[in-house]
Amino acid sequence: MAQMADAQSEAGRIGEVIRQARVLQRRSQKDVATALGYHQSKVSRLENGRGTEDVRVLREIAKVLDIPPQRLGLAAAPDASPSDPGTEDMHRRTFLAASVAALAATPTMAHHDLIQVLLPGPSPAATGDSSGIDELRERARTVRRLFCTCDYAKLEQVLPGLIADLRQVAGGSSGSAEASGLLATTYQTAVSLLLKRADQGNAWLAAGRAMAEAERSGDPVVLAASVRVHAHVLVRDKHTAQAVNMVRHTVDQLSGSYDQRSPRYLAAVGLLLLRGATAASRNGDRETTHDFLTEAKEVARYVAFDRPDAWANFSPTNVALHEISAAVSFGDAGIALQTARPLMRRHIPVPERRAALWVEAARAYSQQGRLADGYQALRIAESCAAQDVRRPAVRELVADMAARDRRRALPELHHFSRQLGVPA
């Protein structure tokens, strides 16, 4: 009880810091919410001491209102000067860039090769390994499995060659719609990887490529998946309202008659709906989030698999995971953990989804001030997918949790933070 009371007192203090910073700048809640890409209710909740444990939002509002991170209980960027917001922001960008570089277990040349194959102009030299469309199809499945099993280092190595080979086939005189569809799917995987690496700029490039090839393929399923990754990049850049509109427009053209659709079609629509739920929850829109999740549950009634391949990463389990994530976004930690508990006892065969469950649980525990439970959840996530825990978003969460442990009651959390290279 004492720990909970301390957490509530800290939440009230943080809310007051946010309110004072906004008032001193003579900005309205609506103005700040617009800058953040959220609904006004999100800012109101923060100032009232609710939802102030969501470190993602706190970092964003610290930047918008020029609040030193330490005043919001966050880890400071190395050598940042609280009295100089410009310097602090510069160090923050440097810190995040360093985090991205540290993620890869392979030399940075692999990342460079991936970016080169995404750039406009003549296609880079193909590997010569593609004997036909069947082999290319299997290689496309393989790269998707590498993503779902969180082998990001290997994925970054093999993606450039596959993209080059597919570009050669799809752009040739005998280029087929299927080759364009496979290329679009591979670009989609590149988007997902680049977002894991916190490389939004190049993720935009890959998303544009994916959309163009999807249109060439004429396959509505491939197009839906390309819209999904495009919406994902929009959300990461805080264009949440635009992402919601894009998803809704596309879903309206694809929804209905789910009992007559193929598993591949259902998975594409279901994943698109879940992306819409994420965008709406980040926008503070409970009603739209509920609508997307309800429709996703309807689609999931006709799907009963959990496999790490290109189209089967949609299931009732994945819907539940997005319910948890949405609850965390709204600051409803208790609801998030209540939804998560049955999944914690269930076997989830896709490592990336298993890790996501425990990372979101860690966020929820952190919102409740239960740092010890949050640390344990992160260690479980690490056992599911070690590379996934080393991506920038999770490393930042660990650093901020360690910063909140001001009395250093959890030395193992601080040791873990140092292991990840992000000491508080």
Side-chain angles (χ1 to χ4, degrees):
M1 291 296 293
Q3 186 181 39
M4 186 66 72
D6 287 344
Q8 291 173 347
S9 175
E10 176 71 357
R13 184 193 67 78
I14 291 173
E16 182 60 20
V17 169
I18 293 170
R19 189 193 68 80
Q20 288 181 0
R22 177 182 63 79
V23 171
L24 284 172
Q25 294 182 29
R26 298 182 179 179
R27 300 176 68 175
S28 67
Q29 289 185 347
K30 184 176 181 180
D31 174 51
V32 173
T34 299
L36 289 167
Y38 293 125
H39 190 273
Q40 181 179 343
S41 61
K42 174 75 80 172
V43 177
S44 176
R45 285 174 58 84
L46 288 170
E47 292 187 2
N48 288 322
R50 293 176 294 164
T52 54
E53 296 293 327
D54 189 334
V55 296
R56 292 173 297 191
V57 177
L58 287 180
R59 282 202 173 274
E60 292 166 8
I61 204 164
K63 183 177 180 181
V64 167
L65 292 176
D66 290 335
I67 302 172
Q70 302 95 315
R71 293 197 64 201
L72 301 184
L74 303 173
D79 300 321
S81 170
S83 61
D84 187 350
T87 301
E88 177 204 320
D89 189 54
M90 178 186 70
H91 283 305
R92 178 179 180 275
R93 291 195 300 271
T94 304
F95 171 71
L96 291 178
S99 298
V100 173
L103 281 169
T106 55
T108 55
M109 183 58 68
H111 192 76
H112 171 78
D113 289 345
L114 176 58
I115 305 312
Q116 286 297 114
V117 83
L118 296 175
L119 294 173
S123 175
T127 67
D129 293 339
S130 55
S131 58
I133 198 70
D134 290 339
E135 182 178 339
L136 288 168
R137 189 185 306 115
E138 184 54 38
R139 288 170 65 192
R141 291 195 188 103
T142 297
V143 299
R144 187 62 193 172
R145 291 192 189 99
L146 287 172
F147 178 81
C148 291
T149 54
C150 302
D151 193 348
Y152 303 139
K154 178 66 173 176
L155 175 59
E156 199 165 54
Q157 287 180 323
V158 302
L159 263 178
L162 175 58
I163 290 174
D165 288 343
L166 282 168
R167 284 181 64 177
Q168 185 176 68
V169 173
S173 58
S174 60
S176 66
E178 183 177 4
S180 290
L182 288 173
L183 181 53
T185 301
T186 305
Y187 280 136
Q188 292 159 19
T189 303
V191 174
S192 299
L193 174 64
L194 289 164
L195 290 176
K196 290 282 188 181
R197 301 296 205 198
D199 187 352
Q200 269 92 291
N202 287 309
W204 274 115
L205 182 61
R209 289 278 194 173
M211 191 70 75
E213 290 300 327
E215 291 173 349
R216 287 181 61 187
S217 75
D219 187 334
V221 172
V222 176
L223 184 59
S226 292
V227 170
R228 173 176 56 83
V229 297
H230 196 155
H232 195 178
V233 184
L234 281 169
V235 171
R236 285 296 184 89
D237 273 355
K238 304 184 186 64
H239 301 301
T240 50
Q242 294 92 323
V244 168
N245 291 335
M246 174 182 283
V247 170
R248 174 49 65 196
H249 176 74
T250 306
V251 165
D252 285 345
Q253 301 176 58
L254 300 172
S255 60
S257 304
Y258 295 137
D259 59 332
Q260 302 172 28
R261 303 296 189 180
S262 68
R264 181 172 175 267
Y265 188 102
L266 293 171
V269 175
L271 290 171
L272 184 59
L273 286 164
L274 294 180
R275 182 56 55 204
T278 298
S281 65
R282 296 289 177 85
N283 197 36
D285 188 340
R286 289 180 180 270
E287 183 178 356
T288 302
T289 300
H290 177 266
D291 289 345
F292 277 130
L293 288 173
T294 299
E295 194 166 349
K297 288 178 183 178
E298 175 64 19
V299 177
R301 287 178 54 202
Y302 305 96
V303 179
F305 45 67
D306 283 293
R307 296 195 308 273
D309 58 36
W311 300 105
N313 198 16
F314 175 77
S315 66
T317 299
N318 208 357
V319 176
L321 286 170
H322 280 74
E323 287 185 294
I324 297 165
S325 180
V328 170
S329 291
F330 289 123
D332 300 332
I335 295 174
L337 292 170
Q338 183 179 359
T339 307
R341 286 188 186 101
L343 297 186
M344 292 174 177
R345 299 188 291 270
R346 184 185 305 172
H347 173 62
I348 302 175
V350 182
E352 194 265 344
R353 296 289 80 195
R354 287 203 304 272
L357 167 65
W358 290 100
V359 169
E360 290 303 322
R363 293 190 192 281
Y365 284 130
S366 178
Q367 287 183 356
Q368 292 185 334
R370 297 165 60 183
L371 298 180
D373 291 329
Y375 165 72
Q376 291 299 328
L378 287 168
R379 295 313 295 257
I380 295 173
E382 183 186 38
S383 71
C384 297
Q387 290 189 44
D388 200 62
V389 172
R390 281 157 177 76
R391 58 191 171 92
V394 181
R395 287 155 54 94
E396 192 173 84
L397 170 64
V398 174
D400 287 331
M401 287 174 59
R404 288 175 180 275
D405 182 27
R406 296 180 178 180
R407 299 177 182 178
R408 291 193 169 264
L410 295 170
E412 61 273 26
L413 173 60
H414 294 272
H415 177 68
F416 186 47
S417 181
R418 289 192 295 273
Q419 279 186 321
L420 296 181
V422 286

